[in-house]
Amino acid sequence: MMEEDMENGRSYQERPRTFSTVRSKSSIPLAFRLLMRINPRALIILSLLVFSGVLYVGASTSPIVVFVFCICTLSLFFSLYLTKWVLAKDEGPPEMSEISDAIRDGAEGFFRTQYGTISKMACILAFVILGIYLFRTTTPQQEASGLGRATSAYITVASFLLGALCSGIAGFVGMWVSVRANVRVSSAARRSAREALQIAVRAGGFSAIVVVCMAVFGVAILYSTFYVWLGVDSPGSMKVTDLPLLLVGYGFGASFVALFAQLGGGIYTKAADVGADLVGKVEQGIPEDDPRNPAVIADLVGDNVGDCAARGADLFESIAAEIISAMILGGTMAQRCKIEDPSGFILFPLVVHSFDLVVSSVGILSIRGTRDPGLISPIEDPMSIMQKGYSVTIMLAVLAFGVSTRWLLYTEQAPSAWLNFALCGLVGIITAYAFVWISKYYTDYKHEPVRLLALSSSTGHGTNIIAGVSLGMESTALPVLVISVAIISAYWLGQTSGLVDESGNPTGGLFGTAVATMGMLSTAGYVLTMDMFGPIADNAGGIVEMSQQPESVREITDVLDAVGNTTKATTKGFAIGSAGLASFLLFSAYMDEVASFAQLPFKEVDIAVPEIFVGGLLGSMLIFLFSAWACSAVGKTAQEVVNEVRRQFIERPGIMDYKEKPDYGRCVAIVASASLREMIKPGALAIISPMAVGVIFRILGHATGQPLLGAKVVASMLMFATVSGILMALFLNTAGGAWDNAKKYIETGALGGKGSESHKAAVTGDTVGDPFKDTAGPSLHVLIKMLATITLVMAPIFL
């Protein structure tokens, strides 16, 4: 066929281009395929029965839970509306659809394989947890409530598997919408930049609403089920204040899947991106996403599996961990203060995130389309439009938070406590806004830091790297100051709330910090929308370039892509801040859990003790070793891609003249297999390290008469890992985002524009930053929270 076309003088560029399918079988999960076979009427009846059962369980628990279920159900209907609205948009000309289909097939095929591997590892770990809990000691509270070892073991394992399942579904939802919205954004960009923006935002909004809804729904259903099944608060049974501790397995399951999803997806997307850029841009001098580049489809597939699927699982895990830790601290404080009805303090996080669904939905709808075609004007650029939507969401979140605290946190023992906690929430909301603004300042090319970084490219590759590293290091200062002020302010507001224990000591400090964390995540739905916007816009630009649309269309998608890089960086900064606060809360819960099991006081960790100091060193080392292995995995996989792309250019010289077609599927297969292989080592390091350290020092502690040594060393390891991890993640994410947008700034025509020496140096910087911002950095804040949850779940083996 190729030879006939060449003989007739017809080039590959002039022929309709087709893209080979890289999927061998259906990638729709089995559960969804079974549901699709059910008669629609029967499915409606089944859904009503399930919903009635859920409402019954909720009503048997608390009216607050019924409220949460109703909000979540309405939010799911809203997400269906967004889906229908996005899918009703046209897919553009056939060449766009063909490219989109190839991207979808590659993404869904990799997702199926990746999550198959993760599910097998999750099942193995579930058996390990079951064994540990079947042979561990029980706490006096568990013995008093009749909760035996077997029941506790099965509850923890079931929670772990449910958390893993929901995290996987969250990732699937994120990828499912992105691979269908990208071509619709590309098509809309031919008519109007504002329409393209609106489609990308609403597609991201669908994923965000579903992820937040699942996190809230999952925890609420688990809490209600355990409440009814265990007969909580009935004579001789468990107290409601102890119930949240049974949910920790859910957070661990979510963290486990999110870590491997982020690692695998991050390795995939950045290995393909680096390979495509080094050979395509630097060596061959062809544009980004050019159809002649054999790695371009793999690069576009990576945007979906790395930035959409992985980030959906990541944010799901963040919200679940924050809800559970806040419920634990709320229950503990209510028990110490002898509050008559503690349900408000325990269920408060669920209500906050229910309101999050409402205010984020309003924020998403506030971004409307326009009939004016063409590029968005400089006065009303995409970032300012999205910032307006974020401002609307924040204002509504402040009002909703005040209503929530007055409704659930008012108590006769301290009538003004709810106001203090409302201020704690305000501290968290301000912190979130500050993190978004700081990240935007350091990564948006409208501000000085990125422009100075771009200017450094004019003197060579080395000065670009030096400037990028220094920018990343500098960018850690302001976020650390902000989060420090937030922790101290929230703790002080909680301590002065008027809530005291039986001895008259203030007890609201830690819960105040938990409320601030909830405030920070009270706009998580809209923040995740901004995050999902980035890869959808990036994919849209790739489809426009590959289908060879007019330059004016590419200009629109380039603007959206640059804004997407900034929104991704801002949401990563947001995720790091929330990870730090959530880990602080889980650390406190870990100390309480250890004290409960050991029946010994455990209120502080003395790093002047040599063994405990060593634990801190090991925690910091873990962060650097994990980051090194994650970046190394990208480098090794990228080398395979580079060699393959070079081989194709040498063996098929007609590719550059559009006379021969690249083998896209070969690069997709290389990246997919390598990323699954390379994600195992850093992931295993994260899981095994805390358990190994705890067991080794537990043995040493028993030999030296220090029964809590293992638990204290693990606590020190967790503290140092959290501090080091926050700083490292901030550095990696910001430096990578700044390098990327410095390149985008030069591509707008500054400093010589595309193809100039400055541009080549900027591409080198972007290549260095790729594994920083999309593999190691995002994986680190997942690692921080997973360390906190795994130590809490595995606490018995450290004693």
Side-chain angles (χ1 to χ4, degrees):
M1 181 71 178
M2 181 72 70
E3 288 76 8
E4 291 177 3
D5 287 332
M6 292 174 66
E7 289 175 3
N8 296 330
R10 192 180 184 201
S11 70
Y12 161 62
Q13 185 180 24
E14 294 168 341
R15 292 186 293 106
R17 293 178 295 281
T18 58
F19 297 84
S20 57
T21 298
V22 293
R23 180 181 64 190
S24 58
K25 59 182 179 179
S26 174
S27 61
I28 300 176
L30 177 62
F32 292 166
R33 294 204 301 271
L34 293 175
L35 285 174
M36 290 167 65
R37 294 177 184 175
I38 300 176
N39 181 279
R41 292 183 180 179
L43 188 60
I44 292 173
I45 294 173
L46 180 64
S47 301
L48 289 174
L49 289 174
V50 171
F51 182 67
S52 299
V54 168
L55 278 182
Y56 172 77
V57 172
S60 302
T61 306
S62 169
I64 300 172
V65 176
V66 175
F67 171 80
V68 170
F69 284 158
C70 291
I71 294 294
C72 288
T73 303
L74 292 174
S75 298
L76 285 176
F77 280 113
F78 175 68
S79 68
L80 291 176
Y81 159 75
L82 291 178
T83 309
K84 185 177 180 181
W85 187 90
V86 170
L87 296 182
K89 300 297 180 180
D90 70 281
E91 296 185 0
E95 57 266 27
M96 281 188 172
S97 299
E98 290 168 3
I99 299 166
S100 176
D101 288 344
I103 296 169
R104 181 167 67 246
D105 289 347
E108 293 181 346
F110 176 75
F111 182 90
R112 182 187 64 249
T113 306
Q114 181 191 28
Y115 275 76
T117 303
I118 294 173
S119 62
K120 293 173 185 175
M121 293 188 292
C123 290
I124 294 172
L125 186 56
F127 279 109
V128 173
I129 296 173
L130 181 65
I132 291 172
Y133 271 68
L134 284 175
F135 295 101
R136 74 170 192 171
T137 57
T138 56
T139 65
Q141 293 89 342
Q142 291 174 337
E143 292 176 357
S145 62
L147 188 65
R149 293 180 182 177
T151 305
S152 177
Y154 294 135
I155 285 175
T156 304
V157 170
S159 300
F160 171 80
L161 291 176
L162 181 61
L165 175 65
C166 290
S167 185
I169 294 174
F172 177 79
V173 167
M175 183 211 57
W176 186 89
V177 68
S178 67
V179 296
R180 287 161 176 79
N182 51 17
V183 69
R184 290 168 169 83
V185 175
S186 301
S187 179
R190 297 178 304 149
R191 300 183 295 271
S192 164
R194 187 65 177 265
E195 182 186 352
L197 171 68
Q198 187 183 24
I199 294 173
V201 168
R202 290 198 171 189
F206 160 74
S207 178
I209 294 298
V210 172
V211 167
V212 176
C213 190
M214 282 182 54
V216 177
F217 228 146
V219 174
I221 288 176
L222 209 58
Y223 176 90
S224 302
T225 302
F226 291 159
Y227 187 96
V228 174
W229 177 38
L230 299 175
V232 173
D233 271 350
S234 58
S237 65
M238 174 179 283
K239 294 181 180 179
V240 69
T241 51
D242 296 326
L243 182 57
L245 281 169
L246 299 180
L247 308 178
V248 173
Y250 184 84
F252 180 33
S255 300
F256 176 84
V257 171
L259 179 67
F260 281 98
Q262 191 68 70
L263 275 172
I267 294 169
Y268 187 114
T269 183
K270 290 303 110 181
D273 195 3
V274 169
D277 284 355
L278 285 180
V279 184
K281 288 184 179 179
V282 178
E283 296 182 8
Q284 299 296 330
I286 59 178
E288 185 172 2
D289 301 325
D290 192 285
R292 293 170 289 179
N293 195 324
V296 67
I297 290 291
D299 184 12
L300 296 174
V301 168
D303 291 334
N304 295 286
V305 298
D307 288 333
C308 292
R311 197 75 75 250
D314 179 4
L315 264 294
F316 172 87
E317 177 267 341
S318 293
I319 296 168
E322 177 267 327
I323 289 175
I324 293 169
S325 60
M327 291 175 76
I328 292 172
L329 291 177
T332 301
M333 188 193 70
Q335 186 176 25
R336 290 175 179 172
C337 297
K338 303 296 181 183
I339 293 175
E340 185 176 347
D341 182 12
S343 60
F345 288 85
I346 296 171
L347 298 175
F348 179 67
L350 295 175
V351 173
V352 168
H353 283 291
S354 297
F355 279 121
D356 171 20
L357 290 167
V358 176
V359 300
S360 296
S361 299
V362 175
I364 292 166
L365 292 176
S366 69
I367 297 178
R368 298 181 178 274
T370 180
R371 294 183 179 179
D372 297 332
L375 196 64
I376 298 174
S377 66
I379 299 175
E380 195 178 29
D381 63 69
M383 194 67 209
S384 65
I385 294 171
M386 298 185 75
Q387 283 285 94
K388 288 177 182 177
Y390 186 47
S391 299
V392 170
T393 306
I394 280 185
M395 288 188 291
L396 293 175
V398 171
L399 295 175
F401 212 94
V403 172
S404 302
T405 50
R406 180 62 180 83
W407 173 24
L408 298 174
L409 302 185
Y410 178 82
T411 174
E412 294 293 341
Q413 294 175 233
S416 62
W418 72 271
L419 183 58
N420 281 49
F421 291 128
L423 293 175
C424 290
L426 184 61
V427 167
I429 292 172
I430 294 172
T431 302
Y433 190 84
F435 262 85
V436 169
W437 184 88
I438 292 168
S439 298
K440 178 176 176 291
Y441 174 73
Y442 279 107
T443 58
D444 192 339
Y445 64 58
K446 293 183 179 64
H447 299 292
E448 185 180 18
V450 174
R451 295 202 173 196
L452 290 176
L453 176 57
L455 183 62
S456 71
S457 303
S458 62
T459 53
H461 300 249
T463 50
N464 173 277
I465 300 301
I466 293 170
V469 170
S470 62
L471 184 151
M473 290 180 174
E474 179 189 323
S475 69
T476 63
L478 285 177
V480 168
L481 292 175
V482 168
I483 201 170
S484 300
V485 170
I487 290 174
I488 293 173
S489 300
Y491 188 87
W492 181 81
L493 285 168
Q495 283 290 87
T496 57
S497 63
L499 291 171
V500 295
D501 59 16
E502 293 178 330
S503 304
N505 299 316
T507 59
L510 281 176
F511 186 68
T513 309
V515 174
T517 308
M518 285 181 268
M520 189 170 185
L521 286 170
S522 63
T523 56
Y526 191 85
V527 171
L528 181 55
T529 298
M530 292 197 296
D531 188 83
M532 291 294 183
F533 165 85
I536 293 172
D538 193 355
N539 255 211
I543 292 172
V544 166
E545 181 68 34
M546 288 195 70
S547 59
Q548 298 181 343
Q549 298 298 309
E551 186 64 26
S552 59
V553 180
R554 181 67 195 186
E555 288 176 3
I556 291 175
T557 55
D558 278 346
V559 171
L560 296 179
D561 187 15
V563 171
N565 286 332
T566 303
T567 58
K568 286 192 291 184
T570 57
T571 51
K572 286 170 189 171
F574 174 88
I576 293 167
S578 64
L581 289 171
S583 297
F584 177 72
L585 304 180
L586 288 168
F587 177 75
S588 174
Y590 166 74
M591 295 180 72
D592 289 341
E593 181 81 343
V594 169
S596 179
F597 274 109
Q599 292 299 294
L600 293 170
F602 184 30
K603 296 183 178 180
E604 59 185 21
V605 179
D606 186 1
I607 62 171
V609 177
E611 294 90 345
I612 296 176
F613 182 74
V614 168
L617 283 178
L618 292 174
S620 297
M621 177 272 292
L622 172 63
I623 296 300
F624 282 83
L625 185 59
F626 177 87
S627 302
W629 284 0
C631 291
S632 175
V634 174
K636 290 178 182 177
T637 308
Q639 288 174 25
E640 297 183 40
V641 179
V642 167
N643 291 333
E644 172 60 24
V645 175
R646 285 174 176 169
R647 182 191 68 79
Q648 291 197 34
F649 277 125
I650 292 171
E651 296 181 2
R652 302 184 182 190
I655 288 177
M656 291 300 293
D657 299 324
Y658 295 95
K659 295 178 180 179
E660 289 186 85
K661 180 181 173 181
D663 184 358
Y664 302 110
R666 177 62 183 157
C667 288
V668 170
I670 289 173
V671 179
S673 60
S675 59
L676 291 175
R677 180 180 67 248
E678 296 292 340
M679 76 177 185
I680 301 297
K681 188 167 74 169
L685 174 72
I687 295 170
I688 295 172
S689 294
M691 293 191 289
V693 169
V695 170
I696 290 171
F697 281 95
R698 170 194 174 181
I699 296 171
L700 182 61
H702 282 290
T704 57
Q706 303 176 73
L708 291 182
L709 183 62
K712 289 181 177 180
V713 170
V714 170
S716 176
M717 183 181 188
L718 177 58
M719 289 169 59
F720 279 67
T722 300
V723 172
S724 302
I726 290 173
L727 293 172
M728 178 68 84
L730 285 169
F731 162 69
L732 295 174
N733 286 333
T734 309
W739 266 317
D740 196 350
N741 270 352
K743 178 198 69 176
K744 296 288 184 188
Y745 176 61
I746 293 175
E747 289 175 349
T748 62
L751 302 172
K754 293 182 180 180
S756 65
E757 292 301 316
S758 296
H759 184 238
K760 291 179 180 178
V763 170
T764 300
D766 180 34
T767 303
V768 173
D770 276 340
F772 283 19
K773 66 183 176 66
D774 287 321
T775 306
S779 297
L780 273 177
H781 58 76
V782 181
L783 171 66
I784 292 169
K785 288 170 287 187
M786 199 195 75
L787 287 175
T789 54
I790 194 173
T791 51
L792 188 53
V793 171
M794 299 295 183
I797 68 172
F798 306 146
L799 301 172

